Amino acid sequence: MLKAVIIGSGNVAQHLLKAFQKSEQIDIIQVFARNKENIRHLIDSQKIVSNFDELIEASIYFVCVSDQAVVEVSSKIPFSNKLVLHTAGNIAIENLDPKNICGAFYPVQTFSKSRDLDFSKIPVCIEVEQESMYKAIEIIALSVTDLVYKVTSDQRKAIHIAAVFVNNFVNHLYGIGKEISDNNLFLFQILHPLIQETAAKILTLNPDEAQTGPAKRGDMQTIDSHLDFLTNENQKEIYKLLTQSIINHGKKL
Amino acid sequence: MLKAVIIGSGNVAQHLLKAFQKSEQIDIIQVFARNKENIRHLIDSQKIVSNFDELIEASIYFVCVSDQAVVEVSSKIPFSNKLVLHTAGNIAIENLDPKNICGAFYPVQTFSKSRDLDFSKIPVCIEVEQESMYKAIEIIALSVTDLVYKVTSDQRKAIHIAAVFVNNFVNHLYGIGKEISDNNLFLFQILHPLIQETAAKILTLNPDEAQTGPAKRGDMQTIDSHLDFLTNENQKEIYKLLTQSIINHGKKL
């Protein structure tokens, strides 16, 4: 087994730690956590450190910190010629301290402390500056997930942006659904089965096949009546822009 | 059992017919279909008619036609003092022909021919002009689903609009995710687990708790780098508007 250290104690660090604890390829010998309490429930407290000079030597350092901190943390690792893999979607590996062999180990998922996830179903996108290291990282990734993809920097960035659309923005639309339910005194739960089916459909139909609704049909009467009903200017603006986008997209098909 | 007729043969009509065929309250004695082929696989062809003067007398007529056709169809039913329930989200019941007792029986779901659905998990929103009829319709609805809600016209309209946000618009964002994947040569499937988890989260977390991402964090560096990367003006515009909406919403929390 390869000895590895996880730097970070947030959602990604915790899910990765749990996944590696079941891996036959990786032995997590230490976790760096500014706040040790964050992670004490998952690992022997003697293995948690909060100073960079306490970091011990390992083959791999997984940097699971906020995007803004990745580059700085990479330079604080007091070793060189190690494999340093960060888990961020949007940080170019050439920005990391070149004293180590840098790469990305990007799990394409939304992590919350309150939700347990089956890591084996999470796609992990791998990028590494030294092509010769790819195979080793792939073996490590395959020890925790069935879904491993080799990507370029641009692809990783594109995946991160697409994730913003299908996760962050989608969740915000759920939020608008909740606002409308609150303002009209119906239960948001009425929308739950629709939300689940919308997501389930996309596993078997492509988005063009799955698209329905007044914008898709060009049903201006319904669209106008919806816009008349909405009083929140922000909701109206989003309704108009997305409706127009669906109509324009339909014309291209 | 109450005798009922379904008018329409599209997705809603077909799913409703299948649900009522298992109901102990409703006996579907006839289906009106302009194109009989649409529905022949689901019911004895002798029970399918395509002329309004062939409609036989029943207690209830379910009008499952396109929004634009609901009102006209209601006037073509050659009976009066029957219960006429339409399944559209956005059609006011007072627009239907008043010779019958009008109401709405609105299933809040997205229906596709290619997907089988468990009707018992689909919320049905009921509205009826004669309050005294509500209980009977509720019993009928409860014979096909566990989820029955009494709503007003305004609530039904609001639910329909919210459904546009959480289904039509969400699916369009999935479509943009697919565009980005096509343009950057990564598999759209990489986003599948994220899409499923985003939808699953909303069952246990409210949208504010579930929100993550650069807009939620106010991470302008990532936002700017995403906008630099996107070349499609429509994607950029949607990115900007939804990012601003998430930022503004965060300020109100």
Side-chain angles (χ1 to χ4, degrees), chain A residues 30-48:
Chain A
Q30 196 177 54
V31 173
F32 175 97
R34 275 184 306 186
N35 182 351
K36 293 183 180 187
E37 293 306 320
N38 279 358
I39 200 117
R40 196 163 273 168
H41 60 296
L42 292 178
I43 191 167
D44 179 359
S45 59
Q46 294 186 319
K47 292 187 176 173
I48 311 173

Side-chain angles (χ1 to χ4, degrees), chain A residues 126-196:
Chain A
I126 296 174
E127 185 189 341
V128 63
E129 52 175 349
Q130 284 186 16
E131 177 62 28
S132 61
M133 297 299 296
Y134 176 75
K135 199 69 200 171
I137 304 173
E138 186 186 57
I139 290 167
I140 292 163
L142 284 168
S143 77
V144 289
T145 175
D146 304 330
L147 306 166
V148 179
Y149 299 91
K150 186 178 186 178
V151 295
T152 64
S153 282
D154 272 359
Q155 283 175 324
R156 183 161 50 87
K157 189 175 198 116
I159 292 167
H160 191 242
I161 295 172
V164 166
F165 279 91
V166 304
N167 168 262
N168 302 168
F169 292 167
V170 161
N171 185 71
H172 187 60
L173 295 183
Y174 296 163
I176 291 176
K178 174 100 174 37
E179 274 176 8
I180 294 173
S181 78
D182 290 348
N183 290 339
N184 292 278
L185 304 177
F186 70 84
L187 290 171
F188 181 58
Q189 279 83 333
I190 292 181
L191 301 171
H192 278 180
L194 178 62
I195 288 172
Q196 300 310 311

Side-chain angles (χ1 to χ4, degrees), chain A residues 90 110 112 115 155 157 160 167-168 171-172 184-185 196-199 201 207 211-212 225-226 234 245, chain B residues 90 110 112 115 155 157 160 167-168 171-172 184-185 196-199 201 207 211-212 225-226 234 245:
Chain A
N90 202 45
T110 172
S112 325
R115 288 186 58 81
Q155 283 175 324
K157 189 175 198 116
H160 191 242
N167 168 262
N168 302 168
N171 185 71
H172 187 60
N184 292 278
L185 304 177
Q196 300 310 311
E197 173 65 8
T198 305
K201 257 185 167 178
Q211 190 69 53
T212 56
S225 108
H226 285 175
N234 183 51
S245 181
Chain B
N90 202 45
T110 171
S112 324
R115 287 187 60 80
Q155 282 175 325
K157 187 173 198 118
H160 191 242
N167 167 263
N168 302 168
N171 185 72
H172 187 61
N184 292 278
L185 303 177
Q196 299 311 310
E197 173 65 8
T198 305
K201 257 183 165 178
Q211 190 68 53
T212 58
S225 107
H226 284 175
N234 182 52
S245 181

